[in-house]
Amino acid sequence: MMEFLDVNTLRVIWYLLVGVLIIGYAILDGFDLGVGVLHLFTGDEHERRIHLNAIGPVWDGNEVWLLTGGGALFAAFPFVYATVFSGFYIAFMLLLTALICRAVSFEFRGKVDSQQWRAVWDWAFGLGSLVPALLYGVAIGNVMRGLPIDKDGTFTGTFLGLLNPYSLLIGVVSLVLFTLHGAVYLTLKTDGAQKEKLVRQIPALWIMLVVLYFLASAATAWTSPFLMDGVFSNPLFYVLVLLMGISLMGIPVLVKRAKYFPAFLSSSAAIASMVATLKPREEMRHTGIVIF
Amino acid sequence: MNLDVELLSRLQFAMTIGFHFFFPPLSIGLGWLLVIFEWNGWRKNDESYVRIGKFFGKILALTFAVGVATGVVMEFQFGTNWAQYSKFVGDIFGAPLAAEGVFAFFLESGFLGLYLFGRGKVSKGMHWFSALMVAVGATISAFWILVANSWQQTPAGFIVQNGRAELTNFSEAIFNPSTLPRLLHTVDAALIAGAFMVVGISAHLILKNKEAELAKKSLKIAAIFGLIVSLMEVFPFGHLHGQQVAQTQPEKFAAIQGLYASENGAPVVMFALPINPPPELKARIAVPVPGLLSWLAFGDAHARIRGLNEFPKDEIPPLFLTFVSYHNMVVLGMYFILIMAITVYKLYRKTLWESKKLLKVLVWSIPLPLFACQLGWIAAEVGRQPWIVYKLMKTKDAFSATLSGGEVLFSLILFGVIYAALGVLYLYLLTKEINHGPEPAKEVAV
């Protein structure tokens, strides 16, 4: 490779790239996963159609981020890719099942005029969205908390071990975060009673998210205090927290003022800064975890 | 019960890639034919081509959806089931997979949305351009996947260091000796698959007398297109690919050709039943042209071709599967030329629409190019065994050693059930779409 790029510089570039992909995925696929979760909570055929139409043209483009992320991780950190993917075998198989069901549900649902047929694909779409939204946080939770890895880089834990209370809590945070993000996105694509319903739901989801986020932060400080080491002396951390606070506050305020597109941008910024605050906590490498 | 993780992982990979590989060739082939149909609809301002485009566009969308759904599995499976392989080749193999996402999928999925949902909302030129980008995206996708797979066949541009293959020359790795021949041969096979699908579906509509005038137009274009690409598949693309295999992977070449002992002026074996051990061809029938294989492979009828006897016993591929799949692929390739030539001839004589029998044959021929794709792929991949990366890493050293047999059996059954369901649903919805036929002319005018 080029001489002025030493291995460590390249590694930082790849690291940032993988970070951008993780955040990009959360923002873009986040809203269509969220719409899928909301899909589970309505029985109204008109609303359901609006959901599908709202994300029909964009969802596969969004999912590309996941594929690219997988490829980038493979290329940049083959050991992480191989260890995590084979270690989380059953989790990945469930994720893939969810993604397959979800991908075909868009195309299949409208093809047969039968209520049962549509019901099957509504469930496939809803659960196929809920599982990835939950697992996104579960994966982050496990990586932050630390994984049982032996000196050869082999994962020694179990599938049920991945579903520990802490990681599940982070999973619920990402689930609610994406659902809120999806609801904000839908305000751009709806009108009338459906929109009013969303405008009512958003503050409720928002309160749930804030409460869960504080719980998750407390849990992090309690179970993995090493993740907090040095965080408070890092100025970047305060910038990100400030950004997150402002953009989080922006969501209900802007929705209330019927400024839906700015609200969606605000929600995207909240996700980006929330995921990015995880970055200054990469001290986990000192705990024997070789991720990144 | 002691379950063999390697065997189960191989079965799972074969099943998932085999099933997936029904869909991308159709997407590529249909994609390029839609470019032609939509061009006619736009430039000739001919409404009937717009209707043809709409009709086959729906079939493309259905095919693409199942292709995406089954393709996601492939991207993750290297890590889940082939961890040792991933650690060894990640530096090289991961890059084309990431590149496929960045350079192909974004293009394809973005413009497919525009193509399917944008008709009447964007300008006609823009709409045609989106059809073009879908086809281009699908083809670029094939390029990166073939780059990755060809590197397994003929690795180049790397050194083995720190216990893994590290990239030294990017362009050598990408354009390794087998990339181009395999790309041309595979993409052309996809075009054949698309052509047979359009020809067959059109023939069905004609036979059922459903929008027959419209179907005649699509059949005409696809048949001429199909004849050209079927011819090109054998010469030059198949020929070039064969020469490349003869030069770069002599064991594979000997296995697929059934050449078990070295020979000067080797003949082309047309039919035989490979028996093993000892390696032997029963009921062998050869083309009565002396030295034909030597001439085809090396341009010299007396050239010596190395037989399997020259290679270490533990470095030769399975004989039956390679020989049989390769030869059946060739038979199908010849059939495609023949049937398309007859069709185009009858079109020229204006007797095709009365030839009910031929139209029926065309309907039943729809899946054959896809079978040929599968056979070719089997010959290529099984012919590479026992290596996962030719001469560099064996398949038995590549799987995820940390997995338990039970885990892989679980996922194998899981995917088996899901894919069986997807296959049935795809065929059901496809026939439903075909029997529904193109939308009537009036609705299009709205």
Side-chain angles (χ1 to χ4, degrees):
Chain A
M1 268 286 163
M2 286 162 281
E3 279 183 14
F4 58 90
L5 283 178
D6 62 33
V7 174
N8 278 326
T9 320
L10 265 179
R11 218 156 260 189
V12 170
I13 291 173
W14 272 117
Y15 179 86
L16 290 175
L17 184 69
V18 171
V20 165
L21 285 167
I22 289 174
I23 292 174
Y25 177 72
I27 291 175
L28 289 172
D29 218 20
F31 74 76
D32 61 47
L33 292 175
V35 171
V37 176
L38 289 168
H39 200 73
L40 286 172
F41 294 96
T42 176
D44 186 79
E45 175 60 20
H46 177 71
E47 286 189 15
R48 291 187 152 174
R49 259 201 213 155
I50 300 243
H51 290 163
L52 291 162
N53 290 344
I55 58 176
V58 293
W59 74 271
D60 53 351
N62 294 341
E63 203 171 290
V64 169
W65 285 77
L66 184 69
L67 292 177
T68 309
L73 193 65
F74 192 175
F77 305 102
F79 275 74
V80 177
Y81 171 80
T83 303
V84 172
F85 281 40
S86 62
F88 293 9
Y89 192 76
I90 298 291
F92 266 104
M93 294 303 139
L94 291 181
L95 174 67
L96 289 174
T97 306
L99 291 175
I100 291 173
C101 292
R102 183 168 192 269
V104 294
S105 66
F106 288 91
E107 187 60 33
F108 287 1
R109 186 181 184 273
K111 296 276 181 192
V112 178
D113 191 19
S114 133
Q115 209 154 11
Q116 284 101 328
W117 174 270
R118 280 195 294 269
V120 168
W121 299 111
D122 282 330
W123 279 103
F125 172 49
L127 291 177
S129 306
L130 185 136
V131 170
L134 183 75
L135 287 182
Y136 183 88
V138 170
I140 287 183
N142 274 300
V143 170
M144 295 207 339
R145 176 174 173 266
L147 295 166
I149 290 173
D150 69 13
K151 61 178 173 9
D152 301 322
T154 302
F155 176 70
T156 55
T158 61
F159 172 58
L160 287 177
L162 297 174
L163 299 178
N164 52 74
Y166 174 75
S167 302
L168 279 175
L169 177 61
I170 307 290
V172 176
V173 172
S174 70
L175 178 62
V176 174
L177 178 67
F178 290 167
T179 309
L180 173 64
H181 193 45
V184 176
Y185 176 76
L186 275 179
T187 58
L188 298 168
K189 301 283 174 181
T190 49
D191 47 27
Q194 193 178 0
K195 192 173 202 161
E196 284 167 24
K197 193 171 151 193
L198 287 163
V199 171
R200 281 197 309 277
Q201 283 171 340
I202 286 169
L205 283 165
W206 186 85
I207 290 168
M208 269 169 77
L209 175 68
V210 172
V211 171
L212 282 164
Y213 186 79
F214 277 108
L215 277 177
S217 302
T220 306
W222 185 49
T223 61
S224 317
F226 58 88
L227 288 177
M228 300 298 188
D229 288 350
V231 163
F232 299 110
S233 57
N234 188 335
L236 184 61
F237 178 76
Y238 293 98
V239 174
L240 288 171
V241 168
L242 190 66
L243 187 63
M244 180 172 71
I246 293 170
S247 48
L248 264 181
M249 284 308 297
I251 300 170
V253 171
L254 289 164
V255 166
K256 194 150 195 269
R257 294 188 181 175
K259 295 201 171 1
Y260 299 114
F261 188 67
F264 180 67
L265 292 180
S266 193
S267 173
S268 305
I271 292 178
S273 46
M274 205 178 275
V275 179
T277 53
L278 306 175
K279 158 94 182 35
R281 301 179 194 173
E282 61 177 306
E283 280 72 12
M284 58 191 167
R285 72 166 67 141
H286 299 307
T287 60
I289 309 305
V290 287
I291 304 280
F292 307 138
Chain B
M1 197 165 49
N2 211 348
L3 294 163
D4 183 343
V5 175
E6 184 204 348
L7 182 69
L8 289 169
S9 288
R10 286 182 69 178
L11 281 175
Q12 181 172 311
F13 200 88
M15 181 184 80
T16 47
I17 190 99
F19 187 76
H20 175 62
F21 196 44
F22 280 114
F23 302 96
L26 280 179
S27 298
I28 296 171
L30 279 177
W32 282 108
L33 278 161
L34 281 171
V35 171
I36 301 177
F37 295 147
E38 297 288 353
W39 174 265
N40 282 352
W42 174 38
R43 301 308 296 182
K44 294 184 182 170
N45 210 6
D46 186 338
E47 202 54 33
S48 52
Y49 284 106
V50 175
R51 291 169 64 207
I52 291 171
K54 262 189 165 179
F55 175 59
F56 285 106
K58 275 190 204 160
I59 292 173
L60 174 71
L62 181 64
T63 308
F64 183 79
V66 184
V68 170
T70 53
V72 180
V73 177
M74 303 318 303
E75 182 96 9
F76 292 98
Q77 209 172 174
F78 299 106
T80 54
N81 290 69
W82 302 93
Q84 297 181 81
Y85 170 75
S86 302
K87 286 176 185 173
F88 185 69
V89 301
D91 200 35
I92 299 164
F93 195 85
L97 296 191
E100 190 203 11
V102 176
F103 297 117
F105 281 153
F106 274 117
L107 208 61
E108 197 179 358
S109 52
F111 279 101
L112 186 68
L114 192 59
Y115 175 68
L116 294 175
F117 295 89
R119 199 188 293 272
K121 291 175 194 154
V122 296
S123 74
K124 285 182 174 176
M126 187 61 210
H127 190 252
W128 176 78
F129 182 74
S130 62
L132 178 69
M133 285 302 111
V134 170
V136 168
T139 310
I140 297 177
S141 187
F143 170 75
W144 287 111
I145 292 306
L146 280 156
V147 162
N149 184 257
S150 296
W151 190 84
Q152 287 179 278
Q153 307 280 350
T154 52
F158 70 99
I159 47 164
V160 175
Q161 194 171 284
N162 306 323
R164 63 194 209 110
E166 290 183 358
L167 190 65
T168 52
N169 189 320
F170 192 59
S171 59
E172 267 181 34
I174 289 183
F175 294 101
N176 65 70
S178 64
T179 301
L180 274 182
R182 301 179 81 238
L183 175 71
L184 296 170
H185 190 61
T186 312
V187 169
D188 197 61
L191 299 179
I192 297 175
F196 270 77
M197 186 142 189
V198 173
V199 167
I201 291 174
S202 305
H204 175 78
L205 293 175
I206 294 165
L207 284 167
K208 297 279 170 208
N209 203 15
K210 193 167 207 161
E211 299 287 348
E213 289 315 307
L214 207 64
K216 285 176 185 174
K217 289 189 174 182
S218 53
L219 191 147
K220 223 183 233 174
I221 289 178
I224 295 167
F225 182 86
L227 177 61
I228 296 169
V229 291
S230 297
L231 282 167
M232 282 165 65
E233 184 66 348
V234 177
F235 189 86
F237 299 145
H239 176 62
L240 286 175
H241 184 26
Q243 285 192 325
Q244 166 259 314
V245 173
Q247 279 156 19
T248 58
Q249 290 170 288
E251 304 93 330
K252 184 200 270 187
F253 192 73
I256 60 176
Q257 301 292 352
L259 205 68
Y260 297 164
S262 304
E263 225 173 312
N264 296 316
V268 168
V269 176
M270 272 201 306
F271 177 86
L273 209 59
I275 309 284
N276 194 35
E280 190 189 346
L281 288 182
K282 290 253 194 255
R284 177 175 177 273
I285 304 170
V287 181
V289 180
L292 183 58
L293 187 64
S294 294
W295 181 72
L296 284 172
F298 296 104
D300 169 10
H302 301 290
R304 181 164 182 282
I305 299 187
R306 292 159 76 193
L308 287 172
N309 58 325
E310 286 197 25
F311 303 100
K313 279 215 163 43
D314 60 346
E315 289 186 10
I316 57 173
L319 302 180
F320 184 83
L321 207 49
T322 45
F323 183 89
V324 170
S325 53
Y326 167 77
H327 277 80
N328 281 302
M329 176 195 76
V330 174
V331 168
L332 283 172
M334 298 299 163
Y335 170 80
F336 300 150
I337 296 176
L338 182 73
I339 199 79
M340 281 297 162
I342 296 173
T343 306
V344 170
Y345 176 74
K346 291 210 169 189
L347 266 175
Y348 174 70
R349 299 296 306 265
K350 303 198 191 314
T351 54
L352 180 64
W353 316 129
E354 282 70 52
S355 315
K356 303 280 178 223
K357 259 190 199 151
L358 180 59
L359 290 174
K360 271 185 196 152
V361 170
L362 289 172
V363 174
W364 286 104
S365 297
I366 292 176
L368 296 182
L370 294 172
F371 293 148
C373 284
Q374 298 277 327
L375 291 167
W377 201 247
I378 291 169
E381 297 299 280
V382 177
R384 190 194 63 229
Q385 302 299 333
W387 305 101
I388 193 164
V389 184
Y390 185 58
K391 297 271 186 192
L392 213 59
M393 185 186 215
K394 286 196 169 165
T395 311
K396 67 179 170 63
D397 301 321
F399 65 98
S400 302
T402 51
L403 295 180
S404 74
E407 285 177 311
V408 188
L409 186 66
F410 165 75
S411 59
L412 181 64
I413 294 170
L414 180 71
F415 285 129
V417 171
I418 294 173
Y419 282 15
L422 280 184
V424 170
L425 286 168
Y426 176 78
L427 289 177
Y428 168 68
L429 293 173
L430 180 68
T431 37
K432 194 167 152 34
E433 204 71 76
I434 293 169
N435 288 329
H436 182 260
E439 296 296 327
K442 266 180 276 169
E443 279 186 34
V444 176
V446 172

